[in-house]
Amino acid sequence: MTAPLSPLPTPDDIVAAHDRIRPHIHRTPVLTCDTLDRKTGARLLFKCENVQKSGAFKARGASNAVFGLDADRAAQGVATHSSGNHGGALAYAAARRGLPCHVVMPRTAPRAKRDAVLGYGASVIDCDPGVVAREAALAEVVARTGAEPVHPFNDARVIAGQATCVLELLEDAGPLDAVVAPIGGGGLVSGTCLALAAMAPETRVYAAEPRNADDAHRSLKAGRLITEDAPDTIADGLRTSMKDLTWQVVSRHVSDVLLASEDEIIAAMMLIWTRMKIVVEPSSAVALAAILNAPEVLAGQRVGVILTGGNVDLDRLPWMTARTGETR
Amino acid sequence: MTAPLSPLPTPDDIVAAHDRIRPHIHRTPVLTCDTLDRKTGARLLFKCENVQKSGAFKARGASNAVFGLDADRAAQGVATHSSGNHGGALAYAAARRGLPCHVVMPRTAPRAKRDAVLGYGASVIDCDPGVVAREAALAEVVARTGAEPVHPFNDARVIAGQATCVLELLEDAGPLDAVVAPIGGGGLVSGTCLALAAMAPETRVYAAEPRNADDAHRSLKAGRLITEDAPDTIADGLRTSMKDLTWQVVSRHVSDVLLASEDEIIAAMMLIWTRMKIVVEPSSAVALAAILNAPEVLAGQRVGVILTGGNVDLDRLPWMTARTGETR
């Protein structure tokens, strides 16, 4: 990204973000499911960001960035790179404020996510998968248009926006022993950590990650940031690695990174669809898959679980491609 | 059925049913969706029985029948025939009261529905599709076991239970110009009519039906009950025809029967999944499909829509079989 990094958001920044974005987001429900409680031995409180505006929690961070711009800067528009949901969220927020928006997307992004960006009137710039290709394409767009870059996670405005999710979860669910959220670039997990450190420091944070994209897990074990370019996982929202800002928070605050295999992610996704009757995308199911995998960590506890999004191609579901042997 | 027919439930019966079943059912949420309001020109208030116990509104009628039995009669157990959801619901209610339960099911019922019946500990008796085969198989079971037959819809106890759904909808959504509910045997529609006639007589009732199984539509036009045996529609919950009790109510109270083709049902189901992020079965989607088909009937009105169930085989979704050319 070309913009200088901002410092981390303060508790006041998070509260201000919530006030700023409230007119532009849904207060999403918190659901429970007795069957999943029995299977995990924990009391799970699911924060349903799959029904958030734009279909993902990303509407929070994007709205905070877009509606925080002063009028002159805003007039130039906004730009980002995204595997999908941040792009759709930025396009949503920009359309709501009436600004131009440019989204660099890898060709492998789900069609539903690409269609969402186009549906909000933003322009899509195709690129190859992988962080290096994405960032090069974004730099070109920013240089050409003068748009304000809004990084999908390594941006204090975005982290403050994502932090508002756990504020609502605490208000609606009451005190929690732990919160589990999936980790890709770490924007949601960082926001969650910063909010809880200020408002409920006794609540532990666990990140959930696909075993096929376990850079956060390896980073935490090694004590230094390890990145991976375009790992292969069906959890398409989690194919990115952390950067300096999010790593700074995750390395200090996250208790552990819990892993799940591709098969476990698919099974957890089917469990959520069939038992909770809600549509979530594979990245959302990673949290439940990781909990099912490590029941001893959370047994008997009250655990917030962030279901991050619900944007899937219905004619290309993971158990369909698995069944017919198509490549993903 | 071998049991004598009861008279229709009174308003007091419906209120008593609600009190009786309240400990055994979920108070399901009422959801709205701005996108679907824009597409239909109406304000739609969706009563989400897909998250009801056993995954369908049928838990209401089955629980009312099971928990209304006196102890001696209950000890003999209960039995029914069902394309799926009533069977699951009766098995659920019987298990909750600790009674034996026998369910006659056509071999074509979705696997998820069959598994649900077995999962609640009931026994499944296979039969050929069609009402005649079902009723013969049930008569045999009742003769053999002495179980109390609980018809899926032509039973005043069941109709009173289904009527409780619209009571909650009215309480949570406020006054409605109309309610749209799918019609198979007519238990839900009859209960809805009887409840509204007593509590909100200004609210019209529309039944929604697959064009491929349009016996209710033809009956209403002809002014006499026309039945059809095992029609071919993906809306597997709506393959039955009315009987005397439900026809008596439907013929007097329903304003019209709105139709939807198989393709329209599938498209409406995908719309609900992608825009509302909830899992509903094809029968539930018939209501939205019918509304989309006849926007002039409901434009500008506040319309309750009953989403009847969420039990689907995730590896056998209608757009998958449509895409690959498999037979249904």
Side-chain angles (χ1 to χ4, degrees):
Chain A
M1 310 293 290
T2 55
L5 290 174
S6 338
L8 289 171
T10 65
D12 284 349
D13 291 335
I14 295 171
V15 172
H18 208 195
D19 290 339
R20 180 179 293 124
I21 69 178
R22 202 173 275 116
H24 310 296
I25 61 165
H26 284 311
R27 176 86 179 202
T28 55
V30 176
L31 299 184
T32 59
C33 178
D34 293 346
T35 305
L36 296 181
D37 284 355
R38 277 195 300 276
K39 279 184 186 288
T40 58
R43 178 58 169 169
L44 305 181
L45 299 121
F46 292 94
K47 176 69 170 164
C48 292
E49 292 290 296
N50 60 319
V51 295
Q52 186 51 270
K53 288 284 183 188
S54 82
F57 75 90
K58 298 275 189 178
R60 297 174 181 272
S63 296
N64 192 43
V66 163
F67 286 93
L69 290 175
D70 65 43
D72 285 351
R73 198 73 197 83
Q76 306 274 80
V78 289
T80 196
H81 64 77
S82 165
S83 65
N85 280 337
H86 174 66
L90 194 68
Y92 160 75
R96 215 166 151 104
R97 196 169 166 186
L99 313 184
C101 178
H102 313 275
V103 180
V104 172
M105 295 186 86
R107 293 187 179 82
T108 53
R111 199 189 55 238
K113 295 184 176 180
R114 175 179 305 263
D115 290 348
V117 172
L118 296 169
Y120 290 121
S123 65
V124 169
I125 299 97
D126 286 321
C127 75
D128 290 329
V131 178
V132 176
R134 285 189 194 187
E135 297 199 338
L138 176 61
E140 190 279 321
V141 170
V142 168
R144 177 162 52 81
T145 62
E148 170 80 7
V150 179
H151 193 276
F153 55 85
N154 208 52
D155 179 311
R157 302 165 298 183
V158 171
I159 293 172
Q162 320 305 32
T164 63
C165 181
V166 82
L167 289 194
E168 295 176 9
L169 177 57
L170 278 180
E171 283 178 11
D172 292 347
L176 298 169
D177 297 305
V179 171
V180 182
I183 190 162
L188 175 63
V189 171
S190 296
T192 302
C193 286
L194 292 173
L196 289 175
M199 326 249 173
E202 71 288 358
T203 304
R204 281 162 295 125
V205 177
Y206 292 91
E209 193 173 41
R211 198 173 284 282
N212 276 11
D214 66 343
D215 43 278
H217 182 257
R218 287 186 287 137
S219 297
L220 212 65
K221 297 300 168 204
R224 64 182 171 83
L225 178 56
I226 298 170
T227 63
E228 194 173 1
D229 207 31
D232 181 26
T233 170
I234 53 154
D236 54 86
L238 308 180
R239 290 177 190 149
T240 44
S241 294
M242 287 180 281
K243 295 188 71 126
D244 54 346
L245 271 189
T246 51
W247 166 241
Q248 201 184 127
V249 180
V250 168
S251 60
R252 285 184 201 161
H253 291 278
V254 165
S255 294
D256 203 355
V257 180
L258 308 175
L259 297 174
S261 71
E262 299 295 291
D263 285 349
E264 290 161 348
I265 296 167
I266 294 173
M269 184 172 163
M270 294 184 85
L271 258 182
I272 293 170
W273 286 42
T274 52
R275 304 309 309 212
M276 299 181 70
K277 309 292 185 194
I278 58 176
V279 171
V280 297
E281 58 186 88
S283 302
S284 294
V286 174
L288 177 63
I291 294 170
L292 284 164
N293 241 356
E296 69 288 357
V297 177
L298 298 164
Q301 301 181 35
R302 285 174 54 79
V303 180
V305 181
I306 303 180
L307 296 177
T308 47
N311 295 321
V312 288
D313 290 344
L314 287 181
D315 56 359
R316 203 157 174 274
L317 297 168
W319 49 86
M320 296 167 61
T321 52
R323 195 181 62 139
T324 60
E326 288 170 19
T327 55
R328 291 192 189 104
Chain B
M1 311 290 295
T2 55
L5 289 174
S6 339
L8 290 170
T10 64
D12 283 350
D13 291 336
I14 296 171
V15 172
H18 208 194
D19 290 340
R20 182 179 292 124
I21 70 178
R22 203 172 276 117
H24 310 295
I25 61 164
H26 284 310
R27 176 86 181 203
T28 55
V30 176
L31 298 184
T32 60
C33 178
D34 293 345
T35 304
L36 296 181
D37 285 355
R38 277 195 301 275
K39 278 184 187 290
T40 58
R43 178 57 168 170
L44 305 181
L45 298 121
F46 293 94
K47 177 70 169 163
C48 293
E49 292 290 294
N50 60 319
V51 296
Q52 186 51 271
K53 287 284 182 189
S54 81
F57 75 91
K58 298 277 190 177
R60 297 174 181 272
S63 296
N64 192 43
V66 164
F67 286 93
L69 291 174
D70 65 43
D72 284 352
R73 198 72 198 84
Q76 306 274 82
V78 290
T80 195
H81 64 76
S82 164
S83 66
N85 279 337
H86 174 66
L90 194 69
Y92 160 75
R96 213 164 153 107
R97 198 171 164 185
L99 313 183
C101 178
H102 313 275
V103 181
V104 172
M105 297 186 84
R107 293 187 179 81
T108 53
R111 198 188 57 237
K113 295 184 177 180
R114 174 178 305 262
D115 290 349
V117 172
L118 296 170
Y120 290 121
S123 65
V124 169
I125 299 96
D126 286 320
C127 75
D128 290 328
V131 177
V132 177
R134 286 188 193 188
E135 297 198 339
L138 177 60
E140 190 279 321
V141 170
V142 168
R144 176 162 54 80
T145 62
E148 169 80 7
V150 180
H151 193 276
F153 53 86
N154 208 52
D155 180 309
R157 304 164 297 183
V158 171
I159 292 172
Q162 320 305 32
T164 63
C165 180
V166 82
L167 289 194
E168 295 176 7
L169 177 57
L170 278 179
E171 284 178 11
D172 292 346
L176 297 169
D177 298 304
V179 170
V180 182
I183 190 161
L188 176 63
V189 171
S190 296
T192 302
C193 287
L194 293 172
L196 289 175
M199 325 248 173
E202 71 289 357
T203 303
R204 283 163 293 127
V205 177
Y206 292 90
E209 194 174 39
R211 197 173 285 282
N212 276 11
D214 66 343
D215 44 278
H217 182 258
R218 286 186 288 135
S219 298
L220 212 65
K221 297 301 166 204
R224 65 184 171 82
L225 178 57
I226 298 170
T227 62
E228 194 173 3
D229 207 33
D232 180 27
T233 170
I234 53 156
D236 55 86
L238 308 180
R239 290 177 190 147
T240 43
S241 294
M242 288 179 281
K243 296 187 73 125
D244 55 345
L245 271 190
T246 52
W247 166 240
Q248 198 184 128
V249 180
V250 167
S251 59
R252 285 183 202 161
H253 290 279
V254 164
S255 294
D256 203 355
V257 180
L258 308 176
L259 298 174
S261 71
E262 300 294 290
D263 284 349
E264 290 161 349
I265 296 167
I266 295 173
M269 184 172 165
M270 294 182 85
L271 258 180
I272 293 170
W273 287 42
T274 53
R275 304 308 311 211
M276 299 182 70
K277 310 293 184 193
I278 57 175
V279 172
V280 298
E281 58 186 88
S283 303
S284 294
V286 174
L288 177 63
I291 295 170
L292 285 164
N293 243 355
E296 69 288 357
V297 178
L298 298 165
Q301 299 180 38
R302 285 173 55 79
V303 180
V305 182
I306 303 181
L307 296 177
T308 46
N311 294 323
V312 288
D313 289 345
L314 287 182
D315 56 1
R316 206 160 172 271
L317 297 168
W319 50 88
M320 295 166 61
T321 53
R323 195 180 61 139
T324 60
E326 287 170 19
T327 55
R328 290 190 191 106

